[in-house]
Amino acid sequence: MAKITTSTLLKMKQQGEKISTITAYDASFAKLFDQAGIHAILIGDSLGMVLQGQDDTLPVSIDHMVYHTQCVKRGVENTLIISDMPFMSYANLEQALTNAAKLMQAGASMVKMEGGAWLVDTIKALVERGIPVCAHLGLTPQSVNVFGGFKVQGREEAKAQQMIIDAQALEAAGAQLLVLECIPAPLGKAISEAITIPTIGIGAGKDTNGQILVMHDALGISCSYMPKFSRNFLQETGDIKKSIELYISEVSQGNFPGEDHIFK
Ligand code: KIV
């Protein structure tokens, strides 16, 4: 498999090929996922919940993200590495530039930030300085306290319309990828059609350009519970590498997510 870049993912969207991505936090899993043929690995700040056992992602620091990005980088040959900017690490432009640079120097090829149009100037500044950005809309977990819990977003017409406008603004600012989390499936489709950059869904329906799962959910080893939008691929195969190969093939054939995994 050739090295995967943001251009590869864009081309996949243009050719109607589905993109498979998953989280990883260490070299061993990253190597296995890379060898299975995953297109991108996200070092998610979900590590606060699945590795550290926290209630949410807010306690995760930039130092945690740097450490896990360095670990993942050592396991990866071809996969695109995306690293999450943790809570309050991009609250202003100065912080965003400093912290994004730390993640890129740790081995990331792209950084991810949660938020809508308020991020436009930050994204422009990062891209101008050579740092590719993945945006993230919908249930953005760093805002869990504003949302009053981990709830599906964009159910109301006005909020759905605003999300489409935000997605277009993020693309215009220079974002090259967009994660859509826990939104109704028709909205996932509408946003994917309203922008030219690839969308990667998690609980956003089957019509996004790709899918992402937290690895602990895909393997059924989350310490809390199995989210509605996930599937236990390890239970189906009994082997970790085969689980990821099955996940990739189910995404690529449009079989995952199924009707049971989507919000209407
Ligand atoms: O932190 C994370 O793992 C994420 C994914 C759920 C998209 O942001």
Side-chain angles (χ1 to χ4, degrees):
M1 192 169 78
K3 211 158 181 58
I4 295 183
T5 66
T6 50
S7 311
T8 319
L9 302 187
L10 180 60
K11 205 162 160 198
M12 287 180 75
K13 170 164 180 160
Q14 289 164 348
Q15 296 179 344
E17 289 170 42
K18 294 281 187 182
I19 302 163
S20 301
T21 74
I22 194 162
T23 67
Y25 316 96
D26 69 24
S28 302
F29 278 111
K31 186 169 187 175
L32 197 138
F33 298 162
D34 181 89
Q35 289 176 348
I38 204 86
H39 301 114
I41 286 178
L42 170 71
I43 300 104
D45 60 357
S46 50
L47 69 85
M49 299 172 81
V50 296
L51 297 193
Q52 299 175 346
Q54 313 272 10
D55 291 336
D56 54 44
T57 60
L58 275 58
V60 177
S61 71
I62 189 69
D63 290 344
H64 296 148
M65 295 308 305
V66 165
Y67 173 76
H68 288 282
T69 300
Q70 287 168 336
C71 294
V72 165
K73 171 71 178 169
R74 290 183 203 116
V76 164
E77 209 176 317
N78 296 316
T79 303
L80 181 78
I81 301 179
I82 308 168
S83 222
D84 249 340
M85 299 278 283
F87 181 61
M88 293 305 278
S89 67
Y90 48 103
N92 62 47
L93 192 51
E94 189 77 25
Q95 286 174 329
L97 291 172
T98 305
N99 290 320
K102 286 186 188 176
L103 295 179
M104 296 297 283
Q105 288 172 338
S109 295
M110 174 175 245
V111 299
K112 178 166 83 58
M113 290 183 294
E114 299 180 5
W118 71 271
L119 278 177
V120 158
D121 290 342
T122 307
I123 293 173
K124 273 188 192 153
L126 289 172
V127 174
E128 277 164 5
R129 287 160 182 77
I131 301 182
V133 174
C134 172
H136 185 160
L137 289 172
L139 170 50
T140 44
Q142 291 169 17
S143 299
V144 62
N145 294 302
V146 175
F147 297 147
F150 292 99
K151 297 176 181 165
V152 176
Q153 300 296 307
R155 284 202 193 278
E156 308 82 359
E157 184 55 28
K159 294 219 168 121
Q161 284 309 320
Q162 186 56 52
M163 217 181 287
I164 296 173
I165 292 167
D166 279 350
Q168 289 169 329
L170 294 165
E171 172 174 33
Q176 287 172 285
L177 203 57
L178 173 62
V179 167
L180 296 172
E181 181 164 352
C182 291
I183 59 173
L187 180 56
K189 181 173 195 284
I191 294 175
S192 305
E193 288 171 355
I195 58 178
T196 61
I197 58 171
T199 57
I200 308 293
I202 173 164
K206 66 172 180 52
D207 293 310
T208 53
N209 308 116
Q211 299 292 327
I212 183 161
L213 284 177
V214 170
M215 60 162 276
H216 291 61
D217 294 339
L219 300 177
I221 53 168
S222 292
C223 43
S224 44
Y225 79 114
M226 177 64 100
K228 175 183 165 66
F229 52 75
S230 191
R231 181 169 141 188
N232 187 339
F233 290 92
L234 181 56
Q235 199 170 45
E236 294 176 42
T237 58
D239 176 277
I240 296 179
K241 188 151 179 238
K242 287 198 183 111
S243 311
I244 303 312
E245 287 165 351
L246 177 63
Y247 166 59
I248 296 168
S249 114
E250 288 290 80
V251 169
S252 126
Q253 290 170 41
N255 296 331
F256 178 79
E259 276 300 300
D260 292 350
H261 307 117
I262 66 175
F263 300 106
K264 299 203 168 143

